[in-house]
Amino acid sequence: RVATRDDVPRIAEVIWAAYQEFAPVLGAIYPGYLADLLDVEVRLTSGTVLVAEVDGAIAGTATLYTDTAPGGLGWPQGWAVGRALAVDPAARGQGTARALVSAVIARAMRAGADELCLHTGEFMTAAVALYEAIGFRRDPAHDLEATEHLGIAGAEPVTMLAYRLRPTGGRPATLRRLQPVSLVALLATLVLLFGFQGEQIVRQPLVIALLAV
């Protein structure tokens, strides 16, 4: 479900608990990295914060931006962005993370996004395995230097890996958004074209091939 402001304290608890294990790897940038993730109030107004419940209690969370502009992070404009996936360590192993990612993908698809993108750390092995199993693919051109993003000078560089997925299963969203009326109009146009120019088209197989595409 979509989170409300009443959920913010529990969401923060889940994020804090989920990311503690990465403190040794992130080192000097960990406080800034965690603070960015814990800024749930901002994400409530600029994106869609989702929560998953187990036995009536929030056990996980994820955020979706249907446009990269609010999320930033160097992605092309118009792509959807997933961020801040977190599952309470006490609730892991029940499919909560997969359910949250699936919900993010479904919402990105309904929003008409051609691409859904995200960043994760190579050291976040469980998350990487999940994303790749679902179908996300690497996009090295959009890898993110976390120290630079957080404005932390002098810290050991930490590269966040970029992944992306086409929510429509390979078809551009613009094609998926064609309504039945549009498809009927397209077919009618082709029928008329063949009616008036059929003989010429038959003589030019390349034209037929292009129309089929």
Side-chain angles (χ1 to χ4, degrees):
R1 66 175 174 86
V2 176
T4 68
R5 279 188 166 75
D6 292 339
D7 297 319
V8 170
R10 175 56 186 160
I11 293 172
E13 289 176 1
V14 168
I15 292 173
W16 187 89
Y19 282 85
Q20 284 298 298
E21 64 179 292
F22 305 123
V25 179
L26 291 170
I29 77 165
Y30 179 72
Y33 182 79
L34 183 63
D36 184 51
L37 291 171
L38 290 173
D39 200 359
V40 184
E41 288 278 3
V42 169
R43 293 203 300 278
L44 278 174
T45 57
S46 58
T48 301
V49 180
L50 302 176
V51 294
E53 296 181 332
V54 175
D55 295 330
I58 292 175
T61 183
T63 298
L64 170 69
Y65 296 102
T66 53
D67 192 303
T68 56
L73 306 176
W75 292 107
Q77 187 174 0
W79 288 10
V81 182
R83 284 207 67 203
L85 175 67
V87 175
D88 190 327
R92 289 175 181 171
Q94 303 179 57
T96 304
R98 180 178 284 272
L100 283 164
V101 175
S102 296
V104 167
I105 293 171
R107 285 179 172 271
M109 181 184 293
R110 288 200 297 271
D114 278 327
E115 297 285 346
L116 172 62
C117 50
L118 57 85
H119 286 106
T120 190
E122 186 176 11
F123 50 89
M124 299 177 180
T125 53
V128 168
L130 173 62
Y131 296 141
E132 292 182 348
I134 288 175
F136 282 86
R137 63 193 184 281
R138 282 281 286 118
D139 185 3
H142 291 100
D143 284 353
L144 178 73
E145 175 50 59
T147 51
E148 181 179 329
H149 171 68
L150 296 170
I152 301 173
E156 190 72 21
V158 177
T159 301
M160 305 304 287
L161 306 180
Y163 280 84
R164 62 189 174 110
L165 171 80
R166 177 161 284 176
T168 53
R171 291 180 300 146
T174 49
L175 290 179
R176 186 177 55 82
R177 288 196 295 267
L178 279 175
Q179 299 299 315
V181 173
S182 300
L183 293 174
V184 170
L186 177 60
L187 289 172
T189 300
L190 289 175
V191 168
L192 289 173
L193 179 61
F194 274 96
F196 289 108
Q197 301 292 333
E199 186 176 344
Q200 288 82 348
I201 290 174
V202 168
R203 292 172 184 166
Q204 303 176 61
L206 178 59
V207 174
I208 297 175
L210 290 174
L211 286 171
V213 174

